[in-house]
Every structure is written in structure tokens, then in C-alpha cells.
Amino acid sequence: MKFDRCVLLIVAVALGMGTAYADSPAVTMLTPAGFQRGTETDVLITGARLGDVTELLFYDSGVEVLELKPEGEGKVHAKLKIAETCEPGLHAVRLATSSGISNLRYFGVTSLPQVDEVEPNSDFATPQLLALNSTVNGTVKNEDVDYYLVELAEGQKLTVELEGLRLGTEFFDPFVAILDENRFEVARCDDAPLLQQDCVCAFVAPQAGKYTIEVRESSFGGSDRSQYRLHVGDFPRPLAIIPAGGQPGEKINATLVDASGETWQEEIQLPDTLGEFNYVASRNGKLAPSPNKLRVVELPNVSESEPDDDRATLTAVDVPVAFNGVLQENGDVDWFKFKGKKDQQLEFTVYGRRVLRSPIDSWLEIHKAAGGRLAANDDAGGPDSVQAFKIPEDGEYLVAIRDQLEEGSPTHAYRIEVAPTAVAVELAIDELQRYQSQTVEVPQGAQMAVLLRASRKNFSGDLGLHIEDAIPGIELTTPTIAANQSYIPMLIKASADAPVKACLAPLIAEPLAEGASVRGTLNQRTMLVRGQNNRDMWGHDSDRLALAVTRALPFSIKVVQPEVPIVRNGNTEYVVQATRQEGFKEPIYLRSLYNPSGLSASGSVKIEGDQLEARIPVTANSKSALGNYPITILARAKATNSNVWVASEFITLNVEDGYFAFTFAKTVAEAGASAP
């Protein structure tokens, strides 16, 4: 996908504006952008409001902080120890201060020795010499082209993988090419499906000689923030693994398809835990620069068996099952046969673009074994196909998969998971500031609130909430989600003596009724790179809440409990009272965390610096939802070096129907006369 420079500028500005009103510390970039495992390394963290840094929060294991020193408000020097066992690829980190938690950033980990780009290296005639099997930390500036030289023996493989957009520092659409001594391209890559918009290409040298690697932005853009990590060597780089998953604890015999076109067989041990598994390929003592993702689910594998054109000869298998295969060439269609029972409710879920990062654009069909299509789907699962299907009668059925554009290749891998419709609960937290994933900072002796949403699938019972591995002194004061609720204001308190500390804590929802077996977890998306129209280009998904206890604030607020209900077509006010420490004269900005259906509350009210009270107007329309609602007001003010948030305790707002209605009848009267 290409964007002209004007669009790139718009996107870059949009990314910069994401922190313009930030209340928490902000991390702009890490230099270098990654580290070699098994080493100790220094890193410079730049950003804003970093002077009271307390710790770094890593989403993965394998990194230890040896030293953390702030330099003013804009820089932090850290010394890190990267474990020998730290997984190659990208890792997420946040920085915590005594006043909040920063935005999320990625850094890379490599098994290869690292070198820095050395300028000038923008002339093909004078490239930077590289040793094979090394990782370069570099930057592509505007209209910059970087050249690197490697020497290959005859028949030696060269693989190049680049992390650019995936680092999430800047919108950066990289391009990589391998050139021979006459400057002819022997391999090139712009966008590799496996790597989002990043690059991977491979080449086997037909003769010994010098070969040059070219790195640039695809439209010759770039900036001081366009960081990249270039992995250069003869390491394995699978673009597809077939089958793409298996059952917990199982060893699968898999076919790996390399970027060079080479294939090999490998036995892969899957973990005991369900979910997605990062598999880092290893061959001849060398590791892939980043993992391939595999699915680990309680489904037996069935692999395609070519030729499958004669559907009558296919063997029917029982469901649940996972069908695995690859569309080997253009126009390829793969068929599978399964047994079904009348009224059996199944869900057919394709994994291709999702998780596996295959180039396939799937089209799924379900047929009667004797002929006749019963259902079809293109991309109900985002870029992949998902089809719910109720078996009409006992018998055998067919499922077919092809590429929507009838494309195919040895890397067009797929996985079709066929299982009964699942029971599931997923939690999400609304953003207070658009496009910024919500962290929760709770001041000592106070509380903070966020709006929690629960998406239910085939489950409608009451849910109990709890935070695992929370900071001492933290209390969740909204421990349940009723069966008829899809969202709740979630209030978290911190005791006055709670330690100033941050953590990444799992937020869990479980049924309150005995016998129900579903466990809901948080699924929080952090957008790191936004494209045109703010489209999510790249980001991070987490099942843990970024939670911190921050230092006590010089103010707090309280909402006066209304004495009377608000009625439909009526209005009321939230009376908000502030308590200020002596000398604290900052204005306090107020907003309601949420409004019950049919109600609206002003979001532009503030308590002036010399005042202790303000009133928020609230109106109810004619269709306002009746009932009692917990209401909390959020307050934002400047304290020390940043804006901070705090929430009020809950009040209960009672919404009722009007007690009576009246209208004035129209009448006409002459001057000096009376009228009825």
C-alpha cells in the first residue's frame, strides 16, 4: 500500500497530536531500537514528563533493568540486561512515573550481533560493509537511501528481514532490495504479508561475489524518527508453517516454507496452554529474526490430501476438527468432507491473514456432499472468513476454501477450525482520549474510574470481576457485571498508604453461578501506527491492565447525592465539591464518565481556581432508560509537571417517568373581555 508524502505528513501529524493533551508521561522513542539477547546494553528513552520515572513495565519476560536515571523531563538513561533466552522479535514496554504510565512502545530483540548504521552510506559505490548474520540499527531520513555490502560464496543463501513500521515509532513504509555488482536487482520486497508493511526477501548467490542491500522508504520519504532494524544472514525465515497449529502439549510434524523457496520438515512441540503460540524457527544453530504464530486449541488436525478434485473419494471426518492446508497455485480450491448431525450448531473459522499472516484472501463455502451450496462467506472475521452453520440433517457435508482472487502459492497457508459455537466473554475499556489505550492511574487515598465493557457470546449470566496480582492497597469497588449489563463504570481505589508502584495486571470476569465455565479476559488494543482516515495499521493487543498507584494529589472531588429523581423530559444538576490543599489554585475540569441512555451532561464545566464548587447540568429526553445508575465524575487538573485525573465516589441517579403532564390550551380573547 502506497501513500503520497502529503498523506504521510497528515498521518505523522495525527500521530504527534496523540500526545498533545496527554496527562501521563510520554515516550517518543528508544535508541537503539533493539538489543541482542545475552548482553547488557544502554538505551536512551526520550519523551516528555519523564523526570519522576520509577520503573519500566515489560509485557514479556527476559529483560531486567539494571539502572534507570532521568535527565531532566525529556530523557531517561537505562541499562538493561537481556536474557539469553529472551525471544527474538518485538517486545512491548511502558515507562511508569510517580504520576502515571506512559504510552506503549516496541523494541526488538535479536540473536545476532548488532551494529549501528554509519553515515555516509547513501552512495552505491561506498556502502557500509556488513558481516553476515548481523543486525543493523538504522534510520531512514527524508530522501535517504542506505546501502550495505555483504560477500557471499557460490550457492550461499542471503535472507534480509526489516523491522520498520512494526517498531511503531513512525509511519514508515520501507523498501528493501538486494543488488548485484552491476546494480541489477536480484531480489526485492516492499510489503510482505507475514510482516505487515515491512520487508523480507531472500536470494541464493549463483556465483561468489559482493552483493549490496538497499534500504529506503518506498516513496523516498523518511524522518529522524523512521527507525529500522535490518537482519542480514543465512538464517531460516519461514513464511508459512503447515499445519498452522495443533492441540495443547502435542508435537506436530510440520512443513516449513522458507522465504528462499526451500521447504523442510520439522517436529514442533506445542505448549500446554491454549491460545496463540510464538514459534521461532531454528535451523543449523541459527534462529529466525521473529516468530511465526501457531494456533493451540483442543481440535484434532486434518491436513489436505491432494488431489481433492474428486469429492466422492474424500474421507469424511468427525467434527470438531481443524482443517489445514495451502493453496499451492492460482485457481486452487481445497475440499474437505465432514460428518454432521441434524441441528448441530457449528462455527467455521478461517485463520489466514489473521494470526498466520498468510497472503490468502479466503472465500469459504459449505456444500451438501451430493452437491448444492448451503452457505458461503468472504470476510466476516475481518480479512478472514467466519461462517455459523446449523446442520439441516444427518449426513456428510463438504467445506471448500479458495482465494477470493483465485491466487495461490506455496505460502498461501490456511487453517479452518470447525467447532461448536463457543461460550465466551471479552472485556474492553473505553478510551478517555481517542486513539490512546486507557491506563488506570489511582492516586494514593483516592479513586479512578473507567468504563468497562463486556462482550458476551452465548452467555448471559452475572459476572464477578477481579484483578490478579494487583498492587497492595488496591481495591476494585465494582466487583460484578449483572446479566443485563453490557458495560459498567469500574471504580478502583487506592489506600492512603498504598505504595507508589505500577504493574500489568490481568483483569478477569468469571460467572457467579456455579457450574458455568467461562473465563473472560481483557482484550485491549493499543494503536501504534494510524494510516489514512485513522485506520489501524499496526498495534499491540494485551490481556493485562496497565495499573498504577500514583502519589497523592493536592485536590479531590465529591458529588452531592441528589435528593430527588430526574424524570423524562426533565433536568437536574450534579453538584460537585472540591477539596484543595492550601495554595492549590489550578482550575479543575469536570466530566461525567458516562451517561445512562437518554441522558446528557455538560462536558465543559470547571471549578475555577478560586472556587470550591460547580454544577453540571443534566437533561433527560422522553425515552431515557428508567432505573438507578451509579454515577461518577472525573476531574482533571494540573499538578506538578502534568495533568492528572481523579474520580469521585459513586452517587446513585434515579431516572423515573414523569409524574404528570400538562399543556396550555390555546384560546383567544378580546381586550377587556374574558375567555374560558
Side-chain angles (χ1 to χ4, degrees):
M1 185 179 298
K2 298 293 191 293
F3 295 87
D4 61 31
R5 293 184 192 177
C6 180
V7 173
L8 285 172
L9 177 61
I10 292 171
V11 173
V13 170
L15 285 170
M17 289 178 62
T19 59
Y21 300 101
D23 303 325
S24 299
V27 174
T28 304
M29 58 194 296
L30 280 67
T31 307
F35 324 111
Q36 183 185 0
R37 66 183 195 166
T39 66
E40 294 182 5
T41 183
D42 294 318
V43 58
L44 174 64
I45 304 170
T46 53
R49 299 176 293 278
L50 309 179
D52 54 343
V53 60
T54 56
E55 58 190 307
L56 298 179
L57 302 175
F58 296 99
Y59 282 80
D60 303 305
S61 61
V63 182
E64 179 185 353
V65 179
L66 301 178
E67 195 173 277
L68 204 57
K69 288 184 178 180
E71 183 181 316
E73 292 297 321
K75 295 180 181 179
V76 171
H77 296 272
K79 187 168 188 175
L80 306 178
K81 182 178 181 179
I82 316 300
E84 185 65 48
T85 56
C86 191
E87 182 179 280
L90 294 172
H91 297 260
V93 63
R94 293 182 187 267
L95 179 147
T97 68
S98 60
S99 56
I101 302 175
S102 79
N103 54 315
L104 182 145
R105 285 296 180 203
Y106 271 133
F107 63 91
V109 170
T110 180
S111 63
L112 306 174
Q114 294 198 142
V115 297
D116 292 330
E117 175 196 1
V118 179
E119 294 280 9
N121 64 340
S122 298
D123 189 333
F124 178 81
T126 57
Q128 180 177 340
L129 182 63
L130 280 186
L132 208 59
N133 293 309
S134 57
T135 294
V136 182
N137 287 306
T139 304
V140 169
K141 300 181 180 180
N142 189 39
E143 298 185 353
D144 190 14
V145 180
D146 295 338
Y147 292 105
Y148 301 96
L149 185 70
V150 295
E151 294 191 19
L152 300 177
E154 181 179 346
Q156 189 171 16
K157 181 181 77 169
L158 172 64
T159 300
V160 176
E161 178 178 328
L162 183 143
E163 295 160 358
L165 178 137
R166 288 178 295 162
L167 288 172
T169 307
E170 184 79 346
F171 187 100
F172 173 37
D173 186 11
F175 171 88
V176 164
I178 302 173
L179 313 173
D180 66 14
E181 293 183 64
N182 296 316
R183 208 168 182 171
F184 287 105
E185 285 186 358
V186 295
R188 72 196 308 266
C189 182
D190 184 354
D191 302 333
L194 178 72
L195 308 178
Q196 299 291 136
Q197 239 172 288
D198 285 342
C199 314
V200 60
C201 57
F203 165 72
V204 177
Q207 58 189 30
K210 297 178 179 179
Y211 295 86
T212 302
I213 301 164
E214 174 187 329
V215 177
R216 61 176 171 85
E217 205 278 331
S218 62
S219 300
F220 291 94
S223 71
D224 291 341
R225 286 165 48 91
S226 296
Q227 296 175 299
Y228 66 83
R229 286 169 56 77
L230 185 72
H231 309 283
V232 179
D234 56 359
F235 44 74
R237 174 60 280 173
L239 300 183
I241 299 178
I242 306 129
Q247 300 187 80
E250 180 183 13
K251 283 186 178 180
I252 58 172
N253 293 313
T255 299
L256 282 70
V257 184
D258 193 72
S260 64
E262 180 187 9
T263 64
W264 68 90
Q265 303 297 312
E266 195 163 310
E267 192 175 67
I268 299 175
Q269 175 67 60
L270 299 179
D272 294 329
T273 53
L274 297 171
E276 295 173 7
F277 169 53
N278 286 341
Y279 175 70
V280 179
S282 173
R283 199 170 192 215
N284 300 324
K286 297 170 185 174
L287 298 177
S290 59
N292 293 75
K293 287 188 177 293
L294 301 175
R295 292 273 300 163
V296 182
V297 293
E298 294 283 5
L299 296 174
N301 275 337
V302 169
S303 296
E304 65 165 319
S305 179
E306 295 285 2
D308 57 7
D309 296 335
D310 186 357
R311 304 172 204 172
T313 63
L314 293 175
T315 301
V317 298
D318 293 325
V319 290
V321 70
F323 297 122
N324 299 268
V326 58
L327 301 178
Q328 289 282 355
E329 56 190 22
N330 291 345
D332 195 6
V333 181
D334 285 351
W335 293 85
F336 300 90
K337 185 181 287 187
F338 66 94
K339 304 171 187 176
K341 294 186 178 296
K342 180 178 173 61
D343 295 332
Q344 191 175 13
Q345 189 72 49
L346 299 173
E347 192 162 84
F348 294 73
T349 304
V350 173
Y351 291 93
R353 293 282 183 93
R354 295 179 302 160
V355 183
L356 311 187
R357 296 303 307 168
S358 165
I360 187 175
D361 181 5
S362 64
W363 174 267
L364 183 78
E365 295 182 355
I366 301 170
H367 292 247
K368 296 178 181 178
R373 192 174 80 178
L374 299 172
N377 185 260
D378 180 8
D379 54 6
D384 290 332
S385 307
V386 175
Q387 179 65 56
F389 183 68
K390 186 176 181 179
I391 304 294
E393 57 187 27
D394 290 356
E396 296 182 346
Y397 295 84
L398 297 166
V399 58
I401 186 169
R402 64 173 172 84
D403 185 87
Q404 177 75 288
L405 300 178
E406 299 189 350
E407 294 180 347
S409 75
T411 63
H412 274 65
Y414 61 82
R415 179 175 171 88
I416 310 171
E417 295 184 0
V418 185
T421 304
V423 175
V425 174
E426 187 174 275
L427 305 176
I429 294 176
D430 281 9
E431 299 168 342
L432 284 177
Q433 295 175 323
R434 198 174 184 188
Y435 306 126
Q436 295 185 39
S437 62
Q438 188 61 44
T439 58
V440 181
E441 291 100 349
V442 189
Q444 290 173 316
Q447 55 279 322
M448 184 56 189
V450 292
L451 195 62
L452 179 71
R453 296 185 183 272
S455 299
R456 304 163 187 261
K457 186 175 180 181
N458 302 314
F459 176 78
S460 59
D462 295 342
L463 293 168
L465 289 173
H466 66 276
I467 300 174
E468 293 184 348
D469 303 323
I471 300 163
I474 282 286
E475 178 190 0
L476 179 62
T477 63
T478 44
T480 60
I481 306 176
N484 62 349
Q485 290 179 311
S486 58
Y487 64 91
I488 63 165
M490 185 174 74
L491 194 70
I492 302 175
K493 288 185 176 183
S495 63
D497 59 354
V500 174
K501 187 173 177 56
C503 68
L504 300 171
L507 179 62
I508 307 298
E510 294 180 306
L512 293 177
E514 293 184 7
S517 58
V518 62
R519 179 181 168 92
T521 57
L522 182 68
N523 183 11
Q524 187 173 36
R525 177 69 173 175
T526 298
M527 290 174 59
L528 293 174
V529 179
R530 303 198 306 271
Q532 203 169 22
N533 297 321
N534 286 310
R535 186 161 66 92
D536 186 351
M537 300 290 297
W538 177 243
H540 178 266
D541 295 304
S542 175
D543 61 356
R544 284 171 288 170
L545 179 66
L547 174 65
V549 174
T550 60
R551 62 175 177 264
L553 300 182
F555 72 97
S556 62
I557 62 166
K558 173 186 176 182
V559 184
V560 177
Q561 173 64 47
E563 295 183 356
V564 296
I566 185 172
V567 299
R568 286 174 169 171
N569 288 322
N571 58 75
T572 188
E573 292 177 323
Y574 297 141
V575 179
V576 184
Q577 300 173 341
T579 300
R580 299 173 180 269
Q581 287 184 4
E582 186 176 351
F584 183 74
K585 299 295 184 181
E586 294 290 336
I588 301 171
Y589 297 87
L590 306 174
R591 59 168 285 186
S592 176
L593 175 64
Y594 83 109
N595 296 309
S597 177
L599 273 69
S600 62
S602 174
S604 59
V605 176
K606 65 179 176 180
I607 303 175
E608 297 290 354
D610 58 350
Q611 299 293 315
L612 296 176
E613 183 177 292
R615 295 171 181 262
I616 301 175
V618 184
T619 60
N621 65 29
S622 61
K623 297 182 179 179
S624 298
L626 306 180
N628 294 318
Y629 298 95
I631 299 296
T632 179
I633 300 299
L634 302 184
R636 177 173 59 87
K638 186 175 181 181
T640 314
N641 65 346
S642 68
N643 289 325
V644 291
W645 292 81
V646 69
S648 71
E649 295 271 16
F650 282 133
I651 60 166
T652 300
L653 182 66
N654 184 12
V655 183
E656 294 188 0
D657 206 353
Y659 302 124
F660 61 90
F662 64 91
T663 58
F664 289 99
K666 295 181 180 179
T667 188
V668 176
E670 294 182 0
S674 62

